[in-house]
Amino acid sequence: EFCGPGLASMSLPDRATIANMAPEYGATMGFFPIDQETLRYLRLTGRGEAANLTERFAQEQGLLRTDQANEPEFTDRVELDLGAVEPSLAGPKRPQDRVALANVKEGFRRSLTASVLERGYGLSADERKREGTYRPNGTAIPLHHGAVVIAAITSCTNTSNPSVMVAAGLVAKKARERGLTVPPYVKTSLAPGSRVVTEYLRASGLLADLEALGFGLVGYGCTTCIGNSGPLPDPVAHAIEEGGLVASAVLSGNRNFEGRIHPLTRANYLASPPLVVAYALAGTTDLDLVTEPLGKDKNGQPVFLRDIWPSAVEVSDVIASSMRPQMFQDSYARVFDGNPTWNALPVPEGDLYRWNPESTYIRLPPFLEGLELDAAPPSDLTGARVLVRAGDSVTTDHISPAGDIAAGSPAAAYLEAHGVTKKDFNSYGSRRGNHEVMMRGTFANIRLKNLLVPGVEGNVTEYLPDGTRLSIFDAAMRYQQAKIPLIVLAGKEYGTGSSRDWAAKGSALLGIRAVLAESFERIHCSNLVGMGVLPLVFLPGESAASHGLTGRETFDITGIASGLTARKKLTVTARGEDGKKTEFQVIARLDTPVAVDVYKNGGILPTVVRKLLAPSGAGERGGRS
């Protein structure tokens, strides 16, 4: 919850952007108090009646914040001086890795040589010197590490903020007036989350300026920030592959985890929409936009970012002259009938959904197959094998990628077997209603580093009984046939990132019974419990390395069958290939009695169904929900 005198200077769109980014700073949600800025925005967006009701209700409840009101009391407080905020990006691999604009060039160059364990690219001196050649229409343009090949104004979060969208348009306008152009190898796009954005950009004349630089409207909703950027032009892809380049994407999205944006952009930076335009003009992240020019104008004079950056007054003047409540009212009025293609889809009748067994998008999931009214008591794990041994900061994008379905992957093989060609693969995010695709996509991120197969990236592991290298899905199916339970062995911060349910669902469908990590992201830990997968943590100061574990051992986990309680200590016995036995304790991250009940029932869905089906007065029969 945000409070303090600085709120008076913050616009509602700025607050909304911060609130909606809660998962990136580790909160379930972020919220701001109701004040006059809240009411002003409601009226600006055509919701005057709602504003009047909100104001009356907040006053009656004592919830209307004013500058004179006493601040609420909190258990903990973190102070941020808004005057100390500086222009920043996030990258090149994680949204929490903030980098000041002035340090982007230095940070990018450092990442080229930093080791993979330090979240770098580990390039040798010779690899850093390599370049590729972009050859459009018979010309030759050298590309180097850091070349920006994707620049996307996208994301429902950031494009809902008129100030940054207008600022992007003004940067484009000023750049256009100076004669600057975007290099031809940069793939540009504009994909706001709302039709209102294009309405006020068009009314201000700025849409034409963005289009002139290549930022034409490609659609509304999720595009580049969830991997839906589409393919790069062949000459660009060839240049990247020829030089082994660490090419860059700069986008105004929420998340930039490895392998998410595009398979060929290994460095991905999150930036505000006006900075996306600036980096598109520069064509590289190997540049200091604070001290070095973006390019040269039509007279050959250098143009710096400061020369085309709009003032706050310019931005507010454009917003005041171009945004009207009627725009929002008209756009909202067309929500249900504004897409003829969608409206033309046939709608089946009946109370129950009719599952189509031929569909490659939506299939009946197996989560409740074979469900009995009484849950079988959970058992100890015996002879478990490690499917994936992961390092630190393995994200939900590593576990369940959202973007491109790679050719040659298990998911691709499934789709091809059902008559789907590569051009129609779409993305994992689009096919999340098909568990057959999603379980094959679990741990299929092209940048996953499974330490069981060092030096290799992507969807591969060893089937440990005989050492055969297989895709993670194929290995999991062989383990299931052999009735061998599976575990994941991980480091710190396992499951960070967006709290996508398929990271837990896919793990359960692969036969993973437990995840043993040094620490978990809180929401993913809860999601694992909700799928009947047991999250375990090493005792403080301990890890796989401290116990000498390689991941090639067989594991017994005992203390489950004798009765689980919240945060109970369990015993792990690991037997190495040389017969050496290692025994240690771990903590079951079932943090509450409710979590214990959910796990005993095999997950949240069985828990709820058993509660609904239990005869009246059956008490604890199916466990509490």
Side-chain angles (χ1 to χ4, degrees):
E1 181 175 352
F2 296 91
C3 65
L7 290 176
S9 65
M10 291 185 68
S11 71
L12 188 133
D14 285 345
R15 301 178 191 182
T17 302
I18 293 169
N20 203 32
M21 296 290 280
E24 274 60 63
Y25 49 82
T28 302
M29 64 176 292
F31 60 96
F32 289 79
I34 301 167
D35 62 6
Q36 289 302 319
E37 171 60 15
T38 314
L39 305 174
R40 187 195 70 79
Y41 186 80
L42 286 171
R43 294 185 174 107
L44 172 66
T45 55
R47 291 172 278 201
E49 290 186 15
N52 295 336
L53 178 60
T54 300
E55 183 171 24
R56 285 187 56 200
F57 179 84
Q59 285 176 330
E60 292 293 336
Q61 297 296 325
L63 296 175
L64 188 67
R65 178 197 171 273
T66 65
D67 291 341
Q68 293 74 37
N70 293 329
E71 289 185 8
E73 294 183 7
F74 297 98
T75 305
D76 297 295
R77 183 188 298 246
V78 177
E79 293 192 0
L80 172 67
D81 179 0
L82 293 181
V85 174
E86 58 183 336
S88 300
L89 290 80
K93 293 187 177 185
R94 303 190 305 175
Q96 64 264 45
D97 292 335
R98 185 181 71 84
V99 54
L101 177 63
N103 298 331
V104 170
K105 177 181 178 179
E106 175 191 354
F108 174 74
R109 290 191 169 184
R110 188 167 56 246
S111 73
L112 292 178
T113 58
S115 70
V116 171
L117 291 177
E118 298 171 302
R119 292 190 293 279
Y121 302 99
L123 300 187
S124 66
D126 288 339
E127 288 171 327
R128 293 198 304 275
K129 296 175 184 176
R130 293 184 62 179
E131 64 178 41
T133 304
Y134 169 59
R135 295 182 174 87
N137 304 320
T139 60
I141 301 174
L143 294 190
H144 303 91
H145 295 296
V148 173
V149 296
I150 291 177
I153 300 175
T154 180
S155 166
C156 52
T157 302
N158 299 306
T159 61
S160 295
N161 187 332
S163 63
V164 295
M165 294 304 291
V166 167
L170 287 170
V171 169
K173 180 176 185 290
K174 291 170 180 284
R176 189 181 178 193
E177 290 169 348
R178 294 291 297 268
L180 296 182
T181 59
V182 172
Y185 54 83
V186 183
K187 183 174 186 176
T188 49
S189 61
L190 170 65
S194 169
R195 294 176 183 273
V196 177
V197 175
T198 47
E199 292 298 321
Y200 65 69
L201 287 177
R202 184 177 289 110
S204 66
L206 296 177
L207 187 60
D209 294 303
L210 286 164
E211 290 172 339
L213 294 186
F215 288 94
L217 178 70
V218 297
Y220 299 95
C222 296
T223 56
T224 304
C225 66
I226 201 167
N228 292 334
S229 63
L232 293 176
D234 288 341
V236 176
H238 176 76
I240 295 171
E241 292 166 343
E242 175 189 46
L245 301 181
V246 178
S248 295
V250 181
L251 62 149
S252 62
N254 297 13
R255 298 169 186 122
N256 58 332
F257 299 115
E258 291 184 288
R260 181 184 180 104
I261 308 306
H262 192 281
L264 291 177
T265 60
R266 295 167 64 189
N268 300 285
Y269 289 90
L270 305 181
S272 66
L275 282 179
V276 171
V277 177
Y279 275 102
L281 292 164
T284 182
T285 54
D286 191 17
L287 183 76
D288 182 356
L289 292 191
V290 176
T291 62
E292 297 179 83
L294 290 163
K296 294 184 178 180
D297 65 14
K298 46 197 169 187
N299 298 318
Q301 296 301 308
V303 179
F304 293 85
L305 180 60
R306 58 179 176 269
D307 298 330
I308 60 173
W309 194 261
S311 68
V313 173
E314 288 177 289
V315 172
S316 61
D317 285 349
V318 170
I319 293 175
S321 64
S322 60
M323 284 187 66
R324 295 286 181 269
Q326 192 63 39
M327 292 178 178
F328 293 87
Q329 292 168 341
D330 290 346
S331 181
Y332 298 156
R334 300 195 305 270
V335 166
F336 296 109
D337 60 8
N339 188 329
T341 305
W342 176 265
N343 293 335
L345 292 174
V347 180
E349 296 180 357
D351 294 333
L352 297 178
Y353 182 80
R354 286 190 239 161
W355 299 98
N356 177 4
E358 303 303 316
S359 175
T360 57
Y361 276 97
I362 303 176
R363 297 182 69 87
L364 178 64
F367 302 125
L368 295 174
E369 287 181 1
L371 181 69
E372 300 286 346
L373 184 58
D374 293 304
S379 59
D380 294 338
L381 297 186
T382 304
R385 286 288 195 171
V386 173
L387 182 65
V388 173
R389 184 188 169 202
D392 295 339
S393 297
V394 168
T395 71
T396 49
D397 267 58
H398 289 112
I399 305 167
S400 180
D404 182 67
I405 298 175
S409 66
Y414 168 84
L415 291 172
E416 288 168 346
H418 286 75
V420 181
T421 59
K422 171 59 179 165
K423 68 182 180 65
D424 294 322
F425 279 1
N426 215 316
S427 66
Y428 286 111
S430 298
R431 294 190 180 271
R432 69 185 70 178
N434 186 340
H435 63 279
E436 298 286 1
V437 171
M438 298 306 288
M439 66 190 290
R440 286 165 173 79
T442 303
F443 293 109
N445 186 298
I446 59 172
R447 300 288 175 237
L448 175 71
K449 296 168 184 65
N450 182 359
L451 302 181
L452 287 178
V453 282
V456 178
E457 284 187 327
N459 179 13
V460 63
T461 192
E462 279 196 18
Y463 180 69
L464 292 174
D466 60 20
T468 305
R469 285 198 176 186
L470 298 168
S471 74
I472 290 172
F473 170 78
D474 289 334
M477 294 303 100
R478 285 188 63 178
Y479 281 121
Q480 284 194 21
Q481 290 172 359
K483 295 183 168 39
I484 297 175
L486 297 174
I487 67 172
V488 170
L489 198 58
K492 301 179 182 68
E493 301 175 348
Y494 184 79
T496 56
S498 50
S499 54
R500 286 206 309 281
D501 55 347
W502 268 110
K505 287 178 179 176
S507 297
L509 290 176
L510 290 184
I512 294 168
R513 299 280 303 280
V515 178
L516 175 53
E518 292 178 58
S519 62
F520 285 92
E521 192 279 333
R522 178 178 52 86
I523 300 174
H524 181 62
C525 183
S526 177
N527 286 349
L528 287 172
V529 176
M531 290 308 303
V533 179
L534 184 61
L536 305 169
V537 290
F538 291 99
L539 298 182
E542 297 182 4
S543 65
S546 72
H547 289 296
L549 303 177
T550 66
R552 310 184 74 83
E553 300 85 358
T554 57
F555 290 80
D556 296 340
I557 302 174
T558 56
I560 301 172
S562 59
L564 283 168
T565 55
R567 299 187 69 87
K568 180 181 179 180
K569 286 186 178 179
L570 305 177
T571 299
V572 177
T573 303
R575 293 176 176 82
E577 293 175 302
D578 58 359
K580 178 184 175 183
K581 186 169 77 171
T582 303
E583 190 171 285
F584 54 95
Q585 287 193 310
V586 296
I587 300 171
R589 282 295 309 274
L590 304 172
D591 296 338
T592 65
V594 170
V596 172
D597 283 337
V598 169
Y599 177 74
K600 286 180 177 179
N601 274 281
I604 189 67
L605 283 176
T607 303
V608 172
V609 170
R610 287 192 176 107
K611 181 177 180 181
L612 292 172
L613 295 179
S616 178
E620 299 292 318
R621 182 171 189 173
R624 296 189 303 273
S625 172

